[in-house]
Amino acid sequence: AESHSDGLTRVILEHRARHAGIRRSNRAGWHSGPEFLAVPDEHLAWVLHNVTVFAERALARFYGTWARHELRLGSWWANVLDPGGWNAPHHHLPQTWSGVYYVRVPDVGTAPDDLRGRIAFLNPTPVQSAFGGGNFAYAPRDGLTLLFPSSLVHFVHPHAGTEPRISIAYNFNVVPKE
């Protein structure tokens, strides 16, 4: 991951400079549009290959080692959060699985009560949530990828750093083999 970090940062920030992006859950930040899928770049190809292999391996036991199903990319996009930027609570339905690859995540809180820049997942079970359990926030780091059910509501706490926080989000669908 370290050998691709500078290249990914460069291609994403150059893309941001040329494209206005779209508004989704991003606040004080940039979300690339659908044109990002077609950006030809060796570093982006490396990320796509590795998150696909990661997802296939992580999910194989749930799908019978892919004997009757296959994993297909639904979409992927770049996110750049400027200082103070955050992502509002959202989910990725109707996709099946979602994830994020962290390119650069400066100034993420690491103490248990320091939520700066953390991704937070909300427990979908209201009864457990009512008693204060089940929600959690994760402190990402450069080069990490996370995979989670697309139905899981999540958000990003405000980014307190002075450098941009850069990530690539993705969605996969599980479909029957033809």
Side-chain angles (χ1 to χ4, degrees), residues 38-121:
V39 173
D41 180 81
E42 67 179 300
H43 304 289
L44 292 174
W46 177 85
V47 170
L48 183 57
H49 170 76
N50 281 285
V51 299
T52 301
V53 168
F54 169 68
E56 286 173 342
R57 288 179 181 169
L59 300 170
R61 67 183 178 136
F62 300 109
Y63 295 102
T65 63
W66 303 108
R68 289 187 232 163
H69 295 87
E70 63 182 312
L71 195 64
R72 287 193 191 155
L73 181 67
S75 57
W76 80 327
W77 61 96
N79 293 299
V80 179
L81 291 180
D82 295 315
W86 58 288
N87 288 84
H90 63 285
H91 58 75
H92 293 237
L93 288 173
Q95 310 294 319
T96 313
W97 293 94
S98 298
V100 60
Y101 174 82
Y102 294 99
V103 178
R104 299 235 181 199
V105 285
D107 300 318
V108 173
T110 54
D113 60 341
D114 184 357
L115 299 175
R116 291 177 295 139
R118 288 187 183 201
I119 186 169
F121 296 93

Side-chain angles (χ1 to χ4, degrees), residues 84-165:
W86 58 288
N87 288 84
H90 63 285
H91 58 75
H92 293 237
L93 288 173
Q95 310 294 319
T96 313
W97 293 94
S98 298
V100 60
Y101 174 82
Y102 294 99
V103 178
R104 299 235 181 199
V105 285
D107 300 318
V108 173
T110 54
D113 60 341
D114 184 357
L115 299 175
R116 291 177 295 139
R118 288 187 183 201
I119 186 169
F121 296 93
L122 303 179
N123 184 345
T125 310
V127 172
Q128 187 177 7
S129 295
F131 295 102
N135 298 333
F136 64 95
Y138 196 82
R141 64 184 184 281
D142 295 1
L144 175 75
T145 191
L146 299 176
L147 180 69
F148 50 90
S150 297
S151 60
L152 191 58
V153 175
H154 56 286
F155 66 96
V156 176
H157 287 274
H159 169 52
T162 57
E163 298 291 318
R165 179 186 194 275

